[in-house]
Amino acid sequence: MTFPTFADIESAARQIAGAAHHTPVATSRTINRRIGAELFFKCENLQRGGAFKFRGAYNALSRLTGDERKRGVVTFSSGNHAQAIALAGQVLNVPRVIVMPSDAPEVKRLATEGYGGELVLYDRDREDREEIGRRLARERALTLIPPYDHAHIIAGQGTATRELIEDIGPLDYLFVPCGGGGLLSGSAIAARALAPDCKVIGVEPAAGDDATRSFRSKRLQTVHNPKTVADGARTPSLGQLTFPIVLECVADMATVDDPTLLRTMFYLWERLKLIVEPTGALGAAAALEGAMPIRGTRVGVILSGGNVDLTQMPKWIEHR
Ligand SMILES: *Cc1c(COP(=O)(O)O)cnc(C)c1O
């Protein structure tokens, strides 16, 4: 087990250059006036595959040996990582098997199939996705690429914050959505190197607050299939790599309930004209709803993804 460093993020940035988008940074005077701070939104919803996950996936797959590339990879994911592995594998010509819950949003399932991944569906309540992934890896000699607890994945995800700080300068706060903590770990390592005074805040859905509890108690806590609209953050716990990194490099954690998250998502659609998915709005929700004393400061917010299942809209409008 190797812990990723800022040098690994620099190396990942070189590795993904030309393949991943250098995503834009959005700002809004209306939002800045309302909050009394300068906010910079890093638009990973506009990344290839619709989320930051392409960064880590491409970084990991492009580092496989020729032999590993030929045999292919297997991964487990509820959506965006699956889509990213499917797409990165298409670009790099690596066969990929994706273990996905049968209740994953249809947009994410169809997109994954569209990028040419082989799907293996499982029952979220009865089966263990990691076990299925490990079994397939063994039986078919595939390389397992987990969604967050992997040094190349974390380093790849860290390139988004590296770009953000290089583009707009140092920050006082950085709000980052947190599921298994891959994005948060990479972001925190990058921020520590490029803007050491920046407080990195991890943000989770309130129903799945395992990382917040882990951060506070300093012992790894878990949650089982939390009910939340933030489907990208329904992970059971932080990982063996991400937990220690979060403990060491993250300043604080915050949680957001589903109605607040949905209100924020609609607000971003309306104000920034940016389609962000519920999980992708976690950081923005914490920043905009006063989770931290950010008045008068420079604030980065990672909008982590934009793969919205629009068939859920009527339900969301009701629940906000
Ligand atoms: C995966 C994902 C997250 C959480 O990332 P982790 O590395 O698992 O913490 C947040 N937002 C979106 C849109 C995602 O797809």
Side-chain angles (χ1 to χ4, degrees):
M1 209 171 66
T2 46
F3 281 89
T5 63
F6 183 63
D8 295 318
I9 295 176
E10 297 267 65
S11 168
R14 287 191 295 274
Q15 193 82 5
I16 68 172
H21 293 317
H22 184 131
T23 53
V25 178
T27 57
S28 157
R29 285 173 213 213
T30 309
I31 295 179
N32 288 352
R33 215 173 302 124
R34 177 184 141 197
I35 306 299
E38 255 191 295
L39 283 88
F40 301 92
F41 297 90
K42 177 66 169 165
C43 298
E44 286 301 298
N45 57 323
L46 303 178
Q47 185 52 262
R48 286 185 80 177
F52 69 90
K53 293 236 170 53
F54 184 75
R55 295 174 181 273
Y58 189 92
N59 187 45
L61 293 199
S62 64
R63 289 173 192 274
L64 295 174
T65 65
D67 193 42
E68 288 167 337
R69 275 197 201 203
K70 223 179 298 148
R71 287 200 306 264
V73 298
V74 58
T75 192
F76 43 84
S77 160
S78 63
N80 284 336
H81 175 68
Q83 225 164 295
I85 290 285
L87 176 58
Q90 184 187 60
V91 175
L92 292 161
N93 198 20
V94 179
R96 54 263 179 232
V97 179
I98 286 132
V99 181
M100 201 182 249
S102 46
D103 66 346
E106 191 176 56
V107 267
K108 294 188 178 178
R109 223 180 58 225
L110 292 177
T112 304
E113 281 175 333
Y115 294 133
E118 176 191 335
L119 287 193
V120 174
L121 298 178
Y122 74 97
D123 181 337
R124 211 194 263 274
D125 288 321
R126 292 195 355 256
E127 295 176 283
D128 179 348
R129 64 181 196 168
E130 302 200 20
E131 201 181 286
I132 299 171
R134 278 194 299 269
R135 179 168 49 76
L136 286 168
R138 213 168 41 236
E139 286 173 2
R140 296 169 58 175
L142 307 169
T143 303
L144 182 63
I145 311 281
Y148 51 86
D149 217 22
H150 186 291
H152 295 160
I153 296 288
I154 295 169
Q157 320 305 35
T159 61
T161 289
R162 177 183 173 278
E163 275 174 24
L164 174 64
I165 296 175
E166 294 211 325
D167 284 350
I168 56 113
L171 294 165
D172 300 305
Y173 283 92
L174 176 65
F175 289 85
V176 185
C178 175
L183 177 64
L184 180 56
S185 297
S187 303
I189 293 168
R192 174 184 272 204
L194 296 171
D197 294 331
C198 176
K199 295 186 186 68
V200 177
I201 313 295
V203 187
E204 282 185 304
D209 66 343
D210 56 284
T212 305
R213 288 185 283 116
S214 300
F215 183 80
R216 305 231 189 286
S217 67
K218 299 190 165 37
R219 305 180 77 141
L220 190 63
Q221 311 284 320
T222 60
V223 65
H224 182 67
N225 288 347
K227 290 253 175 301
T228 167
V229 288
D231 61 277
R234 294 179 66 193
T235 39
S237 72
L238 294 172
Q240 290 179 36
L241 289 174
T242 58
F243 180 41
I245 297 171
V246 166
L247 274 187
E248 193 185 316
C249 304
V250 167
D252 207 349
M253 297 289 302
T255 61
V256 176
D257 63 29
D258 277 13
T260 306
L261 192 53
L262 290 172
R263 268 200 315 278
T264 304
M265 184 181 78
F266 287 124
Y267 183 74
L268 295 171
W269 293 18
E270 286 165 6
R271 285 291 155 196
L272 294 177
K273 322 301 169 200
L274 286 171
I275 302 293
V276 179
E277 64 185 273
T279 316
L282 279 165
L288 299 177
E289 297 292 330
M292 296 288 152
I294 61 172
R295 183 162 271 281
T297 68
R298 288 166 54 82
V299 180
V301 174
I302 310 266
L303 301 179
S304 53
N307 293 320
V308 180
D309 186 352
L310 287 173
T311 63
Q312 302 298 308
M313 278 287 283
K315 204 169 70 191
W316 286 344
I317 288 173
E318 213 174 290
H319 288 187
R320 95 196 129 139

